[in-house]
Structures are given as structure tokens and as C-alpha cells.
Amino acid sequence: MERRKFLKKSSLTTAGLLSAPILASNKTENKGENTPLLTETRKPIAICTWNFANATAKAWEVLSNKGNALDAVEQGVMVEEANENNKTVGIGGRPDRDGNVTLDACIMDKDGNCGSVVYLQNIVHPVSVARKVMEDTPHIILAGKGAEQFAYEKGFKKTDLLTESTRKQYEEWKKKSKYETIINIENHDTIGMLAIDENGDIAGACTTSGMAYKVAGRVGDSPIIGAGLYVDNEVGGATATGVGEEVIRTVGSFLIVELMRQGKSPQEACEEGVKRIMKKNKGRKDFQIGFLAINKQGETGGYCVHPGFTYREYSEQGHKNRQVSSFYQKG
Ligand code: SD4
């Protein structure tokens, strides 16, 4: 009896606390869901972390042929999964400290459906396995051996993901066996992609081999819905690259989408996302994070901890590599 009363009271209090500021800010600042209706939507459009021109070109090919955003982001990031020279995604990705390449990926559609694979081995296209998890199972995340078995059942081929070049680098690394992040160089080529199609619908995908030489079994932010990727078709989408542990701690991509819902531009929301992380890491300079966001109108923005992060954008206005400002300045 006592407990029931308490629960009822506390949920009312929580509801009161939560709704008050939202109502107030809508009223006084006229921000949030109404504001975007005032501008015309820029669509179709595809953006991705870093300078992956071939990936956005592929996404654009899908979008400009009236394809949907979900197909565009899947096919776009697949370009990097298949690219052996990208040492942080798919085949050719750097292994964990035991020499195994383990992949993380996720995908999310306009209806909030999502699928994810974590710690997946021997499959070149984890994003497509994630899409199968989303479409063909009642689940969202499949891990490790189970995810691999599921992939084979869906017709994916077993492939050795360690290439000659990553094998050699790994042998070299083993001599010291020192785990360290090297800003903008070693660990940061994860591709996160967001797209809006002709219908104005948004989808996103994110795929990575994670941090090089990580502890076996480590999973980063990239396949975690809300951390490495989040899409809300009413508001926009966000994705992340960099040291995943820090992105998970702030549920970074979800945070950015929610900040946009409250009226922030994609740029402002990404800046706030990085600032939240830096607040928890006062004075730390040894890691990079890059956030990328798009809102329902096709406005884009990005922000990072250290200079060096860029993002690629493809729309009717052209195919551009966008420079991103950073929390710390050069030198
Ligand atoms: C991770 N966020 O696994 C990923 C790493 C990354 O480019 O972005 N690499 O933490």
C-alpha cells in the first residue's frame, strides 16, 4: 500500500518535472518541432564521417535514382567495408590484440526500426547482417558466434578479414604490445552515414572494426543504437567516430538528436555533444571524437575534440568535404 502510493507520487512528480521545461521552452523561444517547418528541406542528401567520397557517391547514386535512404546508407557504407585500404572498417580492418578482426555495425530506418551486430568475425559486410537482424528477426542485436551463424544462414560468405598488410602491422605491434590511440591516424576511420531521400525520410548506418588492438571481446559505440548512431525521422540523425567508450558514456548520438528536437541546429547540437564529453574528461587531450548530424531540413553540422575530423556531403549542391571546427585548436 505504502509502496504503491510512493510510486504513484513519484511518477507524477517526474512527469511534472519533465514536462515543465519543455512546455516553457516551446512557448518562450518558439523553438523545437515548429521551427523547421519554416524552411525548405534539402533533399536528397547523404553525409558521412571522414572523407569517404566513394561511399557518399554510392549513396548519392541510390538516392538520385529515387532509392530510399535505408538502401542508400547500407550501400554507401558497404563501399568502405569492402575497401581493404580502410584499416578501421570491414575487410582489412585492424585486429584485436589476439589477432582477430571483429566487426561492429548497426543500421536504423525512418520508423525507428534498427538492427545491430557486435563482435562479428569473418563477414565482410556487417551492416547487411545488421539489416537482416532488423528485418528478419524480432531482435535488435546479435553478437559473436550467434551473429556469425545467423549470417551464414542468410547466405553471407565466410572470408578471412585479416589482409597481408594488417597481418604485418599486427606482427609489428606485437613486439611492444602497447595499446594506444593515435589521434586522427590509427583508430578513426569508422564510417557513420546519414541520408534523407526524396520522400524526406531519414536513415543511418555505422560500421567499424573498432579500436585497433583492443582487448578481445571489446565492443565500441558504433553498433550501439543511441551511442554511435541514432535516427528520429521527425527530427534528424546523428552518428559518431572516435573513442567509443566516451561516446557510450554520454549516449552521444541520441543526445544530439534530442538537442536538435529542442531547437538546436545540427552544428550547435554536435558542439554540445562534444562539450558534454569534455566536461567528463577535464584536461584530457589524448583522444578524438567526431560527431556528425543532419536535421529534417537537410542542414548538417559536425564538431570534434581535435582538428582533423571532416565529413563528406553529397546533395544537389555538390559533393563536398566539409571542414569541422574543434574543441581544441591546433598547437
Ligand atoms: C569504436 N568508434 O569502436 C569506434 C572507433 C572509430 O574510427 O571510430 N574508429 O570505438
Side-chain angles (χ1 to χ4, degrees):
M1 198 52 182
E2 277 304 297
R3 189 165 176 271
R4 267 218 334 254
K5 253 194 216 155
F6 170 76
L7 286 176
K8 210 169 159 196
K9 191 163 175 245
S10 61
S11 63
L12 282 175
T13 317
T14 311
L17 282 173
L18 286 178
S19 60
I22 292 167
L23 286 175
S25 77
N26 277 348
K27 235 183 187 164
T28 54
E29 296 172 39
N30 192 28
K31 280 185 174 173
E33 285 162 22
N34 291 336
T35 316
L37 298 177
L38 302 174
T39 57
E40 213 175 280
T41 303
R42 187 160 64 125
K43 59 180 184 179
I45 179 169
I47 56 173
C48 75
T49 53
W50 307 105
N51 191 13
F52 295 127
N54 294 338
T56 36
K58 182 71 201 176
W60 181 255
E61 188 187 310
V62 174
L63 293 169
S64 56
N65 284 308
K66 303 199 186 310
N68 65 44
L70 189 66
D71 290 335
V73 295
E74 181 190 9
Q75 290 180 38
V77 303
M78 282 172 75
V79 170
E80 287 308 313
E81 288 181 336
N83 174 8
E84 291 191 11
N85 294 323
N86 184 332
K87 302 279 187 257
T88 317
V89 180
I91 190 164
R94 290 193 179 88
D96 64 17
R97 69 179 188 185
D98 297 344
N100 297 312
V101 182
T102 71
L103 305 178
D104 295 337
C106 72
I107 192 160
M108 190 159 189
D109 77 6
K110 65 181 171 56
D111 298 314
N113 298 311
C114 45
S116 159
V117 287
V118 306
Y119 194 65
L120 176 64
Q121 297 181 54
N122 301 313
I123 304 287
V124 178
H125 291 300
V127 73
S128 302
V129 184
R131 183 165 177 178
K132 292 276 182 214
V133 174
M134 173 173 92
E135 290 177 344
D136 296 357
T137 79
H139 310 305
I140 290 179
I141 306 178
L142 292 185
K145 283 284 162 224
E148 192 176 340
Q149 183 56 37
F150 172 77
Y152 298 140
E153 281 164 20
K154 292 291 167 187
F156 290 83
K157 255 191 15 239
K158 182 169 184 165
T159 308
D160 184 0
L161 301 178
L162 202 60
T163 58
E164 210 28 56
S165 141
T166 42
R167 198 183 309 271
K168 271 196 197 137
Q169 286 180 10
Y170 172 62
E171 293 305 327
E172 213 32 57
W173 176 81
K174 268 205 299 190
K175 290 179 187 163
K176 285 192 187 152
S177 295
K178 188 166 177 253
Y179 178 83
E180 61 186 346
T181 59
I182 302 173
I183 292 154
N184 291 332
I185 300 174
E186 181 178 52
N187 284 316
H188 306 290
D189 288 320
T190 292
I191 182 163
M193 182 177 276
L194 302 160
I196 304 181
D197 59 29
E198 260 204 2
N199 291 333
D201 290 324
I202 311 171
C206 190
T207 179
T208 189
S209 53
M211 305 303 286
Y213 315 126
K214 60 198 173 185
V215 174
R218 182 263 187 190
V219 171
D221 61 316
S222 306
I224 308 297
I225 299 297
L229 176 77
Y230 195 70
V231 169
D232 184 322
N233 205 36
E234 286 181 0
V235 178
T239 188
T241 180
V243 176
E245 281 73 5
E246 298 308 323
V247 179
I248 293 171
R249 291 211 289 159
T250 48
V251 200
S253 294
F254 181 75
L255 169 67
I256 286 168
V257 171
E258 286 306 300
L259 290 167
M260 292 194 290
R261 187 194 303 281
Q262 289 164 21
K264 288 208 187 311
S265 69
Q267 182 61 36
E268 290 165 343
C270 288
E271 289 180 18
E272 177 64 24
V274 168
K275 282 174 191 157
R276 294 271 179 106
I277 288 174
M278 297 320 291
K279 219 171 160 183
K280 289 198 163 69
N281 288 283
K282 282 209 176 72
R284 247 189 93 185
K285 290 195 166 178
D286 61 345
F287 69 96
Q288 172 70 307
I289 301 281
F291 280 124
L292 174 59
I294 192 165
N295 67 13
K296 189 74 178 163
Q297 287 62 53
E299 290 166 341
T300 63
Y303 196 66
C304 53
V305 176
H306 292 281
F309 173 58
T310 62
Y311 69 92
R312 197 84 202 177
E313 180 182 297
Y314 209 143
S315 74
E316 261 150 19
Q317 276 116 37
H319 196 190
K320 298 180 177 133
N321 186 32
R322 296 241 184 243
Q323 299 306 311
V324 168
S325 52
S326 53
F327 186 85
Y328 291 120
Q329 309 310 315
K330 267 201 177 90

